[in-house]
Amino acid sequence: MDRENIGIIAGGGQFPLNFIEAAKRENRRVVVVAHKGETSQQVADAADAVCWVKLGQLGRLISFFKKEGVAETVFLGTITKTRIFRDVLPDLKALALWNKIDRKQDDAILRAIANLLESEGIMVLESTTYLEHLLFPPGVLTKARPNKAQRRDIEFGWYNAREIGRLDIGQCVVVRDCTVLAVEAIEGTDKTILRGGKLAGEKAVVVKVRKPGQDFRFDLPATGLATVQTLARVKGSVLAVEAGQSLVFDREEMIKEADRAGIVVVGVVERDDGTLEIG
């Protein structure tokens, strides 16, 4: 029996490779559009078919998927956002779409691309398809547990992070003693941690949450081993992440590293009444 095709619009990191492995277990033929300077060769090698593109080659992407008979795709992996100012090669289709977007922010751009793909007969699936086991679990994952002061910082950071998410600015804040030290913007989580951690001196608390109305088709918050390693560099104390609404990679290695550094890692749940279950 022929395997049904599924596409990946792949950025960097291990998420595309995780998906390829899971999709093949489901007997899917995996067709990858890989981005030069972002997607790893390992991802390309694992694909059944691959096309390398530069950022902005939207027409080439669509043509390749149609040639390969792809009717479903997922957005997976990271794109270095600062590249949109220096390393984009937009084709006519991408330029036409770009000029229609009023706000050049993550959700607006990705929704516009998804709508265009779906108008071309290519359905965009949730990025967690086949990978629900990578969602961040609730509760404290480490030996260390949050103390009273850290719980206050988590709660304070949570509502600030939720607000910047509502504005589609970022998904992460760094706080200490109920003071916001850094807000994530285009630079990404790790650089935000370094910036905020330097100001904190030590004991920085990092809070990362989903955006209100988060579209699970793209741009879910993600953390992992590298996040904890970055937090350890600035002698931070807590990584608090929204459980069930974000991704976690290299979970076991991340927890071991956190335990070595004395960092609390906790999956937080927001109850229906807006209060937090911190664990």
Side-chain angles (χ1 to χ4, degrees):
M1 187 171 93
D2 290 340
R3 292 184 295 159
E4 189 177 358
N5 296 322
I6 190 165
I8 300 178
I9 301 169
Q14 68 188 76
F15 199 17
L17 189 61
N18 294 144
F19 183 89
I20 291 172
E21 293 168 350
K24 287 188 173 184
R25 287 195 293 269
E26 298 294 327
N27 200 36
R28 303 296 296 267
R29 177 176 178 269
V30 183
V31 178
V32 173
V33 171
H35 283 86
K36 295 177 182 178
E38 298 284 358
T39 311
S40 73
Q41 186 61 46
Q42 189 179 11
V43 168
D45 291 343
D48 293 296
V50 64
C51 176
W52 287 93
V53 300
K54 288 190 174 182
L55 284 175
Q57 292 184 312
L58 192 52
R60 180 174 168 83
L61 180 158
I62 292 170
S63 295
F64 175 65
F65 275 169
K66 287 187 172 182
K67 172 178 170 290
E68 293 292 331
V70 171
E72 295 179 330
T73 190
V74 287
F75 287 87
L76 300 173
T78 57
I79 296 292
T80 305
K81 296 176 185 177
T82 51
R83 292 181 63 198
I84 67 173
F85 297 113
R86 57 179 171 81
D87 192 22
V88 179
L89 189 67
D91 56 23
L92 291 176
K93 193 173 285 289
L95 282 171
L97 184 67
W98 185 258
N99 290 331
K100 292 178 182 177
I101 302 171
D102 294 330
R103 295 183 303 118
K104 305 302 193 287
Q105 294 175 294
D106 288 356
D107 277 8
I109 294 169
L110 291 170
R111 287 178 195 275
I113 294 172
N115 289 340
L116 176 63
L117 289 172
E118 293 186 353
S119 75
E120 296 279 353
I122 303 167
M123 182 66 63
V124 179
L125 306 180
E126 290 188 354
S127 61
T128 52
T129 301
Y130 304 138
L131 293 173
E132 290 84 359
H133 62 282
L134 292 179
L135 289 171
F136 205 106
V140 179
L141 307 187
T142 47
K143 294 175 183 176
R145 303 185 66 83
N147 60 34
K148 187 174 181 180
Q150 289 168 341
R151 286 173 177 272
R152 281 199 305 268
D153 275 347
I154 292 169
E155 291 177 355
F156 174 79
W158 186 275
Y159 299 112
N160 282 278
R162 186 73 90 208
E163 186 63 16
I164 67 164
R166 185 185 67 79
L167 296 170
D168 198 15
I169 294 171
Q171 299 167 316
C172 167
V173 297
V174 181
V175 304
R176 182 178 175 185
D177 296 334
C178 292
T179 302
V180 175
L181 302 174
V183 171
E184 180 186 22
I186 198 170
E187 79 277 35
T189 298
D190 285 352
K191 289 184 179 178
T192 305
I193 292 172
L194 291 175
R195 185 159 44 85
K198 183 178 179 180
L199 291 170
E202 60 178 1
K203 299 182 181 178
V205 172
V206 175
V207 181
K208 188 156 187 173
V209 305
R210 66 170 175 81
K211 299 173 185 176
Q214 179 80 52
D215 192 327
F216 266 54
R217 293 178 300 173
F218 31 72
D219 201 31
L220 281 184
T223 52
L225 175 60
T227 314
V228 168
Q229 289 173 333
T230 302
L231 188 53
R233 283 175 59 188
V234 295
K235 300 180 181 177
S237 62
V238 177
L239 173 64
V241 181
E242 184 163 11
Q245 304 290 319
S246 58
L247 300 164
V248 56
F249 298 110
D250 302 313
R251 186 192 304 184
E252 290 184 9
E253 293 85 351
M254 179 190 73
I255 294 169
K256 288 179 182 176
E257 180 67 22
D259 284 337
R260 279 194 292 269
I263 293 171
V264 175
V265 177
V266 57
V268 181
V269 175
E270 184 172 340
R271 302 184 184 96
D272 291 341
D273 64 0
T275 60
L276 302 183
E277 183 179 324
I278 297 173

